[in-house]
Amino acid sequence: DAIRRIAHEFAAAAPRCTTICNRGSASHRNGFYNDRAITMLNALVGNMGRQGGWCWHPNSSWDKKQIPEPGPTPPKPEAKSVIVDAKDWPLANAWTDKKMKVGGIVYQWIKEERQRISALMTYNCDQAWAWPESHVVRQVLADERLLPFHVCIDVAYTETAHLADIVLPWTTYLERWDIDSRPPQGLIDYVGLRQPVVKPLGESKDIREIFPELARRIGGGMQDYFPWKSTEEYFEQYFKPVPGGLAYMRSHGVWQDPDKKPNYAPYERELTEDELAGSETDEQTGIVYNGTDPDTGDRLAIGIVIDGVARQGFATPSRKLETYSRFVEGKGAEADRTIEPLPVYEPIPSHRTGLGGDRLIMISFKWNVHNAHRTMQSAWLQEISHTNPAWLNPATAESLGLADGDWIEVTGFRPDDDQVPGGDGTELGTL
C-alpha cells in the first residue's frame, strides 16, 4: 500500500519531483541495475531535465572550456595496464575511460600477479580500512615481493599509511587552497575557491606542492609541466578567465557566469543549420547522422527527428532514453558474455543461503558530521559524534538477548566459492 501511494504521489508531482541515485544504491551486487531503474523513474513521469526534476548537469561541475587547466599540459600516458583497464568487467570503464579508471580490483589482481608493479602511490583514500575486501588490500600492501615500494599521501596517519614505506603528510582542507565545484542541480555550472584558514602543521604540504616538487626532483622534462613557483601563482593563472581573477575569487569565493541560463531539457534543443550540414536521416528510425564515431568507425548519431523537427536527443545510439540498452548489450558482446540490457534484480545468493543463526546483513551509514572515513581523526568532529553504534531490528535484538547500551562484537565473513567469485568462506576478522 505504501509503495502504491508513493508511486501515485510521485507521478502526480511531476515534473517537480525526482529520484536520485548514488553510492548507497550503486555499491553492491545489483547496483548498476538499481541506478538504471532509479533513473528511469524520472523518465517514466517526464521530469528528465525539467525544473525541479532530475537535473544532473550534462557536462561536468564547471565548464572547462571557459576555465581551462593552465598549460603546459603533459601528454597522456601511452602504456597499457592490465590492472587499470579491467577487461574482465566490460562496463567498469565504459563511461569514464577518459577520466578515471576502476580501482576496486587492483589489489586482487596484484595478488594474483596479473601484472607486476614496482611502486604504488596512494592518495586521499584509506584503502586498507575502507575498501571492500580490505583484508586483501592489507595483504598486498604488507607483501614486499608483490609491492616493493609504497608512498602514501594523506591528511592523517591511517591504516594505509601504516603499511607504506614513505608517508607524505598532506594538508587538511582547512590548511590548503582548492577548487570547489560540483554538478549543480540548478543546471548552471560554477567554480568555487577554497582558501586556507590556518597554517599547515609540521611538514605537511598541499598536493599542489607535492607533485610539482616531485617532478622537479625527478627531472627528465617532467618539471616543465609545473612552471608555477607556488600554489597561489597557479591559481593566479587558473582564475584569469574569471572577471577580477584570483582577487575576485578570494573576496567572493564563487563565480557563476551571469549570462548563462539553466540548461533545462537539453535533449529538446533543435539542431542548428551548421550541425545539419552534410547530415543524413534514417527514414525508419528518424536518427540524424553526421560524420564518423572516432572510437568505433560507425556513423555518428547527432540527433533525432521528432514530429518533423531535428532535435539533439539523448547521448545514446537511438538518441532516445533507452530502457533496453543496446550500448550495454554491445559491451557484453565485445567481451563474449551476456549482460542484461534491461534492468534486472538478482537475489544475493549469500543472503538466501548463507544467513541463519547469528549471521545478519550489515548496512553501513555515515554520520552527518563526518565525511565518510576521512574525518575520523578530527578532534572537533569526534567531539560531536564519537560513538560506534549498531542499530538492530528490535525483534533481532530480542532474539539475541540484547538491549540498548550492550557492547557487541561483530565479525564479517565471505560467502562460499559458488556465491561470490574468489570467495573462500573464511572470516575477515572482528569489525
Side-chain angles (χ1 to χ4, degrees), residues 18-37:
T18 189
T19 58
I20 296 176
C21 50
N22 205 327
R23 295 174 183 173
S25 59
S27 297
H28 52 80
R29 188 183 188 102
N30 289 288
F32 171 66
Y33 293 115
N34 279 352
D35 279 13
R36 286 202 66 207

Side-chain angles (χ1 to χ4, degrees), residues 96-280:
T96 60
D97 57 344
K98 296 179 181 178
K99 297 179 182 178
M100 55 189 291
K101 298 290 187 177
V102 69
I105 44 77
V106 166
Y107 289 99
Q108 181 64 35
W109 284 6
I110 295 174
K111 182 181 177 181
E112 295 173 1
E113 299 188 43
R114 295 200 186 195
Q115 180 171 322
R116 296 300 301 271
I117 63 174
S118 57
L120 176 73
M121 179 180 288
T122 57
Y123 153 60
N124 191 32
C125 184
D126 190 6
Q127 301 157 5
W129 165 259
W131 273 17
E133 310 288 357
S134 58
H135 67 297
V136 176
V137 176
R138 292 192 291 271
Q139 288 173 8
V140 171
L141 292 179
D143 191 333
E144 293 194 351
R145 184 184 63 85
L146 294 174
L147 191 62
F149 189 66
H150 170 207
V151 179
C152 177
I153 305 174
D154 215 330
V155 298
Y157 186 73
T158 61
E159 288 77 3
T160 304
H162 183 68
L163 294 167
D165 295 286
I166 292 179
V167 179
L168 299 179
W170 183 36
T171 47
T172 68
Y173 71 100
L174 296 172
E175 301 168 327
R176 66 173 180 259
W177 298 86
D178 215 339
I179 299 166
D180 186 77
S181 185
R182 306 166 197 278
Q185 298 293 316
L187 291 181
I188 302 179
D189 51 358
Y190 71 95
V191 64
L193 173 67
R194 181 181 290 164
Q195 304 178 65
V197 295
V198 293
K199 292 182 178 180
L201 293 175
E203 297 180 78
S204 58
K205 296 182 182 297
D206 183 12
I207 201 77
R208 290 185 173 87
E209 298 174 274
I210 293 173
F211 285 151
E213 182 61 23
L214 287 174
R216 283 189 282 270
R217 296 194 186 194
I218 293 170
M222 191 183 298
Q223 69 279 8
D224 296 340
Y225 300 107
F226 299 95
W228 310 283
K229 296 179 181 179
S230 66
T231 304
E232 244 180 295
E233 187 178 319
Y234 165 81
F235 278 120
E236 288 279 3
Q237 293 293 318
Y238 183 86
F239 286 112
K240 270 189 175 181
V242 174
L246 180 60
Y248 175 91
M249 295 301 299
R250 293 188 69 165
S251 174
H252 293 77
V254 65
W255 179 74
Q256 190 176 61
D257 190 336
D259 295 329
K260 287 188 175 181
K261 304 299 179 185
N263 187 22
Y264 291 125
Y267 49 86
E268 292 186 347
R269 182 184 68 83
E270 293 187 27
L271 297 179
T272 65
E273 292 184 5
D274 289 342
E275 290 173 314
L276 291 171
S279 68
E280 54 183 25

Side-chain angles (χ1 to χ4, degrees), residues 45-64:
V45 299
N47 65 23
M48 296 289 283
R50 303 292 183 184
Q51 186 174 4
W54 198 83
C55 291
W56 198 249
H57 199 277
N59 295 318
S60 64
S61 301
W62 70 94
D63 190 343
K64 294 180 181 178

Side-chain angles (χ1 to χ4, degrees), residues 390-406:
W391 295 342
L392 277 73
N393 182 292
T396 302
E398 184 179 1
S399 69
L400 296 172
L402 297 174
D404 283 349
D406 287 351

